[in-house]
Amino acid sequence: MAQLSTFMFFSFVFVLVLVSPLSYGYDPLDPKGNITVTWDFIADNGDTYDVRVSIYNWQLYRHVEKPGWRLSWGWIGDEVIWSMSGAEAKEQGNCSRFKGQNKPHCCEKQPTIIDLMPGTPYNKQVPNCCKQGILSSLTQDPSHITSMFQMNYNKPSVPNPDNVTMPTNFSLGIHGYSCSEPIQVPSSRFTTDGRRWIEVLETWNVTCIYSQFLSSPAPKCCVSLSAFYSETIVPCPKCSCNCQGLPGSSCVNSDKAPSLLQLPKDDSTREIEPVVRCSEHMCPIRIHWHVKQSYTKYWRVKLTITNNNFVKNYSQWNLVLLHPNLQSLTQVFSFNYQPLRIFGDINDTAMFWGIKSYNDMLLTHGKNGNVQTEILLGKDAGIFTFNGGWGFPRTVLFNGDECVMPSPDNYPTLPNTASFLSSSSSLLFLSFVLSILL
Ligand SMILES: *[C@@H]1O[C@H](CO)[C@@H](O)[C@H](O)[C@H]1NC(C)=O
Ligand SMILES: *[C@@H]1O[C@H](CO)[C@@H](O)[C@H](O)[C@H]1NC(C)=O
Ligand SMILES: *[C@@H]1O[C@H](CO)[C@@H](O)[C@H](O)[C@H]1NC(C)=O
Ligand SMILES: *[C@@H]1O[C@H](CO)[C@@H](O)[C@H](O)[C@H]1NC(C)=O
Ligand SMILES: *[C@@H]1O[C@H](CO)[C@@H](O)[C@H](O)[C@H]1NC(C)=O
Ligand SMILES: *[C@@H]1O[C@H](CO)[C@@H](O)[C@H](O)[C@H]1NC(C)=O
Ligand SMILES: *[C@@H]1O[C@H](CO)[C@@H](O)[C@H](O)[C@H]1NC(C)=O
């Protein structure tokens, strides 16, 4: 009975996590996670301002990957950007009202700024610039969470008497993020050489928050499970990400040579729609958790991430796992690892990512893309059991998006608990319905 209640408890937690709130823009695994845009007025030149814009990724595990951020905003008046370094406006726009040789850098009412590529000539750079819009997550590489650029723009001809000319309608140009209006915050100060500090005139912050639901209501990954003690391999649930044959769904059979695929032209400022291998689940990414071995004091899990997307190499991929036994994680063989301490001492959540130049790039399906590792966990007295699906993860996220899990009543079971479990499945179902209602 104790086992049954354990199982019921975990399936309850599982369902709570599933129906829970990533979709409302609040992420329980990263409650403070956000991308902040900081707008520093460095100098007032009479008719123009010099401004430095910084983008900080304060998210524990979400990174910004290719094609990178594309920051935009709406000017309040007739501002134009005269010059910019460290980044550039995507379009110059209509600058015909300026006669003569000296045209502004950008005259758009709603400019879109893109980062410069690495290796940009030194005279166009500013510190922290030129990363193709790519930002690492706080856990993965805290030295690469910032992007900066500097610009000079004119004050509007009808000045706003109350405040400086802060634009509105900020957007990062990345699916899933929505940004607040700018708010004035205590002025920042900065240094370029580590010795002299420059006080800025005014600082405004814009906070952008990710919502998986805004990004796309359909999941992007799924989980399959197996264990040494069972013959059953539990596949990803059917239609996890899409259904084969539904209008709007498309997929490619794996026997088709990837060279025959019409690869979309990489214009490098556009996100590329996935082209997935045909499968029951239709997900671009599948995570497999295999309970591989049991020792006296330890147990071993093999993790495999498979890329079923023909048109994307996932660089700097990351995986977040939630399992109560991660507090006793003893060894991770082929990934980097760091616990995510969200609620003080409870370290049941961990982030994994690739080892540089070894498996930090998850290649496309066409290149047989998968990465794997084994992990060794200590059996915690009092909580460890192979019963009731305890050995399987509670939540799995790939690149910050929650993956679809199989239903707990399909989990591989210990041989001698098979009858026990089938007799309890109606109870389980009840606990499910109850938890969904709650
Ligand atoms: C954004 O992240 C920073 C750093 O974690 C945090 O201090 C700040 O409170 C967050 N802002 C919001 C609005 O959540
Ligand atoms: C901000 O966006 C709203 C809605 O898209 C639009 O009506 C408004 O004109 C925009 N304001 C500026 C200054 O771009
Ligand atoms: C550019 O703006 C001017 C007015 O400033 C207008 O007369 C002209 O038609 C615009 N050109 C285009 C291509 O929109
Ligand atoms: C700054 O100007 C904007 C646009 O006119 C206005 O909406 C906002 O309230 C002003 N802010 C302050 C602090 O006066
Ligand atoms: C404004 O943003 C910067 C950079 O993220 C942050 O350090 C600062 O604490 C923020 N200020 C406020 C008041 O949120
Ligand atoms: C993925 O990487 C491989 C090996 O570096 C390369 O050959 C392939 O063109 C890349 N595919 C895409 C879609 O970027
Ligand atoms: C988890 O936290 C406990 C106590 O805070 C600590 O003893 C243990 O080493 C941590 N485990 C890992 C894998 O970080």
Side-chain angles (χ1 to χ4, degrees):
M1 210 51 210
Q3 290 159 346
L4 174 61
S5 56
T6 312
F7 189 25
M8 281 181 57
F9 173 71
F10 281 117
S11 49
F12 184 76
V13 169
F14 169 84
V15 169
L16 273 187
V17 167
L18 249 194
V19 297
S20 78
L22 281 182
S23 44
Y24 303 115
Y26 171 77
D27 178 354
L29 296 180
D30 189 6
K32 289 205 290 186
N34 66 73
I35 294 183
T36 309
V37 179
T38 297
W39 187 285
D40 286 316
F41 288 90
I42 299 175
D44 182 341
N45 311 313
D47 53 354
T48 65
Y49 287 117
D50 288 331
V51 160
R52 190 187 58 166
V53 180
S54 318
I55 304 174
Y56 300 91
N57 183 13
W58 296 123
Q59 299 179 105
L60 289 176
Y61 52 80
R62 274 190 200 96
H63 61 286
V64 175
E65 52 183 342
K66 258 167 73 174
W69 52 260
R70 282 152 295 162
L71 185 69
S72 71
W73 59 79
W75 292 118
I76 300 284
D78 58 357
E79 295 94 328
V80 296
I81 302 170
W82 280 101
S83 65
M84 186 173 281
S85 45
E88 62 189 355
K90 200 167 185 315
E91 310 274 346
Q92 185 179 27
N94 181 355
C95 291
S96 64
R97 70 189 163 102
F98 296 91
K99 309 294 176 211
Q101 293 294 307
N102 194 12
K103 294 238 192 270
H105 176 77
C106 173
C107 301
E108 286 196 312
K109 179 86 179 149
Q110 177 96 29
T112 298
I113 313 300
I114 52 178
D115 200 3
L116 296 174
M117 303 295 277
T120 295
Y122 190 72
N123 61 357
K124 289 187 175 170
Q125 291 193 15
V126 297
N128 283 313
C129 82
C130 314
K131 297 169 180 161
Q132 209 184 342
I134 294 171
L135 298 174
S136 176
S137 66
L138 205 47
T139 310
Q140 220 159 329
D141 184 359
S143 67
H144 283 90
I145 62 159
T146 309
S147 265
M148 284 181 190
F149 62 88
Q150 228 162 286
M151 64 180 167
N152 172 268
Y153 67 90
N154 71 293
K155 298 178 179 175
S157 51
V158 183
N160 174 5
D162 300 328
N163 59 28
V164 290
T165 61
M166 236 357 249
T168 65
N169 283 356
F170 277 81
S171 159
L172 291 173
I174 313 166
H175 283 313
Y177 288 88
S178 49
C179 298
S180 71
E181 283 301 315
I183 50 159
Q184 189 169 8
V185 300
S187 303
S188 43
R189 55 189 211 129
F190 70 95
T191 176
T192 47
D193 58 5
R195 300 191 307 156
R196 178 181 145 73
W197 284 86
I198 296 163
E199 209 72 46
V200 311
L201 305 173
E202 269 188 28
T203 300
W204 294 69
N205 274 8
V206 173
T207 306
C208 306
I209 294 191
Y210 181 81
S211 143
Q212 180 169 346
F213 189 76
L214 257 186
S215 164
S216 120
K220 295 167 186 157
C221 52
C222 63
V223 179
S224 56
L225 306 168
S226 58
F228 67 89
Y229 50 76
S230 167
E231 305 238 296
T232 320
I233 296 175
V234 184
C236 282
K238 201 174 170 184
C239 297
S240 290
C241 298
N242 204 339
C243 292
Q244 258 190 78
L246 270 192
S249 81
S250 67
C251 63
V252 173
N253 283 313
S254 52
D255 51 2
K256 193 164 176 179
S259 56
L260 295 179
L261 282 171
Q262 287 287 319
L263 284 183
K265 201 159 157 27
D266 182 13
D267 100 355
S268 84
T269 59
R270 203 167 46 91
E271 282 180 51
I272 297 170
E273 286 300 311
V275 176
V276 298
R277 187 177 70 84
C278 296
S279 64
E280 297 256 280
H281 58 78
M282 294 282 279
C283 290
I285 295 289
R286 177 169 69 98
I287 320 291
H288 188 76
W289 173 289
H290 175 61
V291 179
K292 189 176 175 184
Q293 231 167 331
S294 175
Y295 312 98
T296 332
K297 288 191 171 152
Y298 298 97
W299 57 299
R300 185 187 280 262
V301 170
K302 182 173 179 181
L303 283 170
T304 308
I305 309 176
T306 308
N307 183 356
N308 288 319
N309 186 352
F310 281 102
V311 292
K312 184 161 171 181
N313 293 323
Y314 291 81
S315 61
Q316 294 191 6
W317 59 268
N318 70 62
L319 189 67
V320 171
L321 297 174
L322 206 148
H323 187 283
N325 214 165
L326 285 172
Q327 64 178 331
S328 302
L329 188 59
T330 309
Q331 197 173 355
V332 178
F333 293 90
S334 328
F335 292 169
N336 284 309
Y337 150 83
Q338 199 169 303
L340 290 182
R341 281 169 210 278
I342 302 145
F343 304 109
D345 286 343
I346 310 171
N347 46 3
D348 60 353
T349 311
M351 174 166 161
F352 300 83
W353 65 98
I355 295 170
K356 200 168 167 51
S357 320
Y358 173 58
N359 58 8
D360 61 336
M361 179 77 107
L362 175 52
L363 289 179
T364 59
H365 177 76
K367 303 271 177 201
N368 279 326
N370 70 69
V371 289
Q372 40 184 268
T373 189
E374 296 193 357
I375 63 178
L376 200 62
L377 300 126
K379 292 182 174 173
D380 282 335
I383 60 167
F384 174 81
T385 171
F386 281 131
N387 271 319
W390 193 87
F392 299 111
R394 308 296 180 257
T395 303
V396 177
L397 284 84
F398 179 80
N399 276 358
D401 285 314
E402 195 166 343
C403 304
V404 180
M405 298 280 296
S407 156
D409 43 19
N410 296 332
Y411 280 11
T413 51
L414 285 173
N416 58 1
T417 59
S419 57
F420 154 74
L421 273 173
S422 65
S423 73
S424 71
S425 62
S426 54
L427 256 177
L428 243 180
F429 181 69
L430 195 69
S431 82
F432 250 77
V433 170
L434 267 176
S435 51
I436 286 170
L437 287 177
L438 287 171

